[in-house]
Amino acid sequence: MTNINRETKETNISCKLDILGSGNSTIDTGIGFFDHMLEAFAKHSNISLDINCIGDTFVDDHHSVEDCGIVIGQLLKEEIFPIQNVERYGNATVVMDEACVTVALDLSNRPFLFF
């Protein structure tokens, strides 16, 4: 399990992530729907995720959402790289209610591709 604390003018975030976890989560960002989506992410990916965010939601939710994304991305990078016993790329399509989501993911750690 890897953890990180991030404090900015707009947010104060503490987060723990275990990529080989059980899908259990403890999430409190102060944004109900965002909490729900992060709980679903943890559950369906079997990643254990604990995140607490105190943000300036009285101004807007976007600072909290953006900074939580940065923290989760940093933790995923720490947990995954260097890659061992993990497929480098994959894709999935999930249909739920009226939504259809398609994702293609490449874990090469390249910032961009010039072709």
Side-chain angles (χ1 to χ4, degrees):
M1 180 171 279
T2 308
N3 63 359
I4 194 170
N5 294 311
R6 175 184 165 95
E7 189 170 347
T8 67
K9 291 189 318 183
E10 295 88 8
T11 61
N12 187 349
I13 301 170
S14 61
C15 187
K16 295 179 186 174
L17 185 142
D18 185 0
I19 198 165
L20 299 175
S22 61
N24 293 329
S25 62
T26 304
I27 298 170
D28 182 11
T29 66
I31 307 164
F33 182 71
F34 188 47
D35 289 355
H36 169 71
M37 296 306 291
L38 289 174
E39 288 165 2
F41 164 72
K43 178 180 179 181
H44 295 292
S45 65
N46 282 331
I47 292 174
S48 293
L49 178 64
D50 295 338
I51 188 163
N52 184 50
C53 174
I54 300 169
D56 62 353
T57 54
F58 59 90
V59 174
D60 198 319
D61 294 343
H62 85 275
H63 291 135
S64 295
V65 173
E66 179 180 16
D67 288 357
C68 285
I70 289 169
V71 166
I72 291 170
Q74 289 172 334
L75 289 173
L76 283 171
K77 184 176 180 179
E78 285 183 36
E79 285 274 308
I80 294 173
F81 291 101
I83 291 179
Q84 296 175 16
N85 302 320
V86 175
E87 291 293 330
R88 185 185 139 193
Y89 55 87
N91 67 308
T93 300
V94 176
V95 177
M96 185 179 291
D97 297 331
E98 299 84 30
C100 178
V101 177
T102 300
V103 114
L105 185 64
D106 183 352
L107 299 174
S108 66
N109 203 26
R110 277 191 306 236
F112 62 89
L113 170 65
F114 179 77
F115 183 72

